[in-house]
Amino acid sequence: MKQLKIGAVAATADRPLIAAPITAHTWQQAVQQADLLKKSAVDVVEWRVDYLETLDNLMVTHIQKVCQTTSKPVIFTWRTQAEGGAKAYSRQTYERVYLNAITAGVAALDIEINLLADQKNLLKKIPNDVQIIGSKHYFTKTPANLVSLLDNMVTLPIDIIKLATMPQQLSDVDVLLTSTKKVAKNANKPLITMAMGIMGMPSRIIGRRYGSQLTFVTVINSSAPGQLMVTDLLQKWGTRYDI
């Protein structure tokens, strides 16, 4: 299993990375949230820029200010409405803001795998020191063929695989975890997987045992259903859920 590294931080055999989102509506609010996350126990910050009121005026200097304020590796993410995000996809705007993020010094870019073909020009311009997280989200189901789905993601031009599913029954959580374990064992790329919602919470706590090397938590606001508060996660890790 390949070790996950984002910026200067890396997952270990004993502990996955912890990431928390910025969900601000303006870049100035994003700076304020970045300062709060700087003081938290999280390792990585995910800036969900689709929560911004507008992306038309998001400049390199604004992104730099957020990165400098948090002083932690930043994952830059525009989650599209098609996969549960707050903004519809626009090819030109997407490419522009992601190129600005690269210039500003983010550690990683989250790109939905369905957009890879449409963003070939962007992919050519991403330097080797910026990680590409290829993501796929199923907000209404857990596909039955998760192993083949993850295997296919391994072959894509991405550095890190991220898969989120919505369980409809407890057995769906088991399918996600066991599929992750099977693929992670021999994959040459790190995996981040989770089952969402209340039913999926255990996957966010014990996912590392199965090969998921990062878990998302809440410090300020949640960005997906089922995220635990970081204090609750750390408490569970220190008790019967100890990893």
Side-chain angles (χ1 to χ4, degrees), residues 19-26 29-30 32-34 36-37 42 45-48 51 204 216-230:
I22 290 174
T23 56
H25 297 298
T26 68
Q29 291 175 358
Q32 294 172 352
Q33 291 189 13
L36 292 173
L37 292 175
V42 305
V45 172
E46 181 186 39
W47 187 6
R48 282 283 303 275
Y51 279 94
R204 298 181 183 273
F216 288 89
V217 300
T218 297
V219 174
I220 304 164
N221 293 308
S222 172
S223 62
Q227 289 177 352
L228 289 85
M229 293 295 296
V230 64

Side-chain angles (χ1 to χ4, degrees), residues 1 180-181 184 190-193 206-213:
M1 182 169 62
T180 300
K181 185 175 184 179
L191 270 64
I192 300 169
T193 66
I206 63 172
R208 182 65 181 94
R209 297 178 188 171
Y210 296 84
S212 179
Q213 299 190 57

Side-chain angles (χ1 to χ4, degrees), residues 170-188:
L170 285 175
S171 59
D172 288 339
V173 182
D174 292 333
V175 168
L176 174 84
L177 292 171
T178 55
S179 298
T180 300
K181 185 175 184 179
K182 185 172 183 178
V183 176
K185 182 178 180 180
N186 298 313
N188 61 355

Side-chain angles (χ1 to χ4, degrees), residues 15-20 41-45 213-217 230 233-234 237:
R15 185 183 180 282
L17 295 179
I18 303 175
V42 305
D43 307 299
V44 179
V45 172
Q213 299 190 57
L214 183 147
T215 188
F216 288 89
V217 300
V230 64
L233 176 70
L234 293 175
W237 278 357

Side-chain angles (χ1 to χ4, degrees), residues 12 40-41 62-63 79 90 127 144 149-150 156 208 213 225 234:
T12 69
S40 75
H62 301 155
I63 304 171
R79 183 69 59 238
S90 164
L149 197 156
L150 288 167
L156 297 175
R208 182 65 181 94
Q213 299 190 57
L234 293 175

Side-chain angles (χ1 to χ4, degrees), residues 54-170:
T54 178
L55 290 168
D56 293 337
N57 301 317
L58 184 62
M59 308 299 292
V60 172
T61 53
H62 301 155
I63 304 171
Q64 284 176 330
K65 182 65 175 176
V66 171
C67 293
Q68 291 167 358
T69 299
T70 189
S71 72
K72 295 182 179 184
V74 172
I75 301 170
F76 191 85
T77 302
W78 175 343
R79 183 69 59 238
T80 68
Q81 286 180 340
E83 296 209 12
K87 275 195 172 41
Y89 172 67
S90 164
R91 179 194 295 174
Q92 291 183 338
T93 306
Y94 190 97
E95 181 179 346
R96 178 182 60 79
V97 297
Y98 269 59
L99 289 174
N100 283 350
I102 293 169
T103 302
V106 301
L109 303 171
D110 182 303
I111 303 177
E112 293 162 14
I113 62 171
N114 289 347
L115 301 180
L116 292 173
D118 200 45
Q119 287 294 333
K120 289 181 179 179
N121 188 54
L122 169 64
L123 294 176
K124 293 176 183 177
K125 298 178 180 179
I126 299 175
N128 291 334
D129 62 345
V130 176
Q131 299 281 77
I132 303 172
I133 301 173
S135 62
K136 182 63 181 175
H137 304 78
Y138 293 91
F139 273 86
T140 60
K141 64 179 180 179
T142 299
N145 59 333
L146 286 186
V147 170
S148 61
L149 197 156
L150 288 167
D151 281 337
N152 287 336
M153 291 178 76
V154 172
T155 68
L156 297 175
I158 58 179
D159 303 302
I160 300 164
I161 296 158
K162 180 190 173 190
L163 176 68
T165 66
M166 182 64 76
Q168 301 301 310
Q169 50 197 3
L170 285 175

